[in-house]
Amino acid sequence: MAGHAGLSTHVLDTARGCPAVGVQIELIRVDGQNRTSLKTATTNADGRTDAPLIERGALEKGTYELTFHVAEYFSTFEAAAKPPFLDIVTLRFTVGDTEAHYHIPLLVSPWSYSTYRGS
């Protein structure tokens, strides 16, 4: 898996059964009380970012957060919760193996979300 090492994400709209297009994502490095913004991206037509959030060879051990701006995404649909139940979804995770690929998908509806470490 070293050929795919790095960090990627994918957002799926489970309420509509499709990729979530246009979701703003922020990648933050967490070191104790310090938080460093590394990258912002927006999901494409496949619900993915156009490039990995961290390229192969640049992934470092440590704690990261992916912040997904889901209220903004769901606000474009008539059936959206008003006011939104979920606004920003933040996933905090730890990278322990820099040779592995970390794929962190978000499965989200206006009322719930789940995640897992994908391949």
Side-chain angles (χ1 to χ4, degrees):
M1 212 173 226
H4 298 286
L7 174 66
S8 60
T9 191
H10 190 188
V11 183
L12 297 173
D13 178 339
T14 57
R16 297 177 54 237
C18 62
V21 180
V23 176
Q24 181 185 350
I25 301 167
E26 296 173 84
L27 173 63
I28 296 168
R29 172 80 187 239
V30 180
D31 185 14
Q33 296 299 316
N34 297 323
R35 299 166 46 84
T36 305
S37 179
L38 300 179
K39 188 171 195 174
T40 60
T42 303
T43 57
N44 61 24
D46 194 32
R48 300 174 186 272
T49 57
D50 288 333
L53 296 171
I54 298 179
E55 296 286 343
R56 180 177 151 206
L59 188 62
E60 298 178 4
K61 289 183 180 183
T63 302
Y64 296 85
E65 288 180 353
L66 283 173
T67 302
F68 301 86
H69 295 258
V70 298
E72 185 178 322
Y73 165 76
F74 283 115
S75 72
T76 63
F77 303 107
E78 189 174 320
K82 292 178 178 74
F85 177 67
L86 294 175
D87 181 9
I88 294 173
V89 173
T90 300
L91 304 177
R92 184 178 282 200
F93 59 96
T94 301
V95 169
D97 180 1
T98 60
E99 295 299 315
H101 179 71
Y102 286 77
H103 181 69
I104 314 293
L106 178 69
L107 289 73
V108 65
S109 81
W111 307 277
S112 67
Y113 66 90
S114 64
T115 191
Y116 58 93
R117 181 173 171 199
S119 57

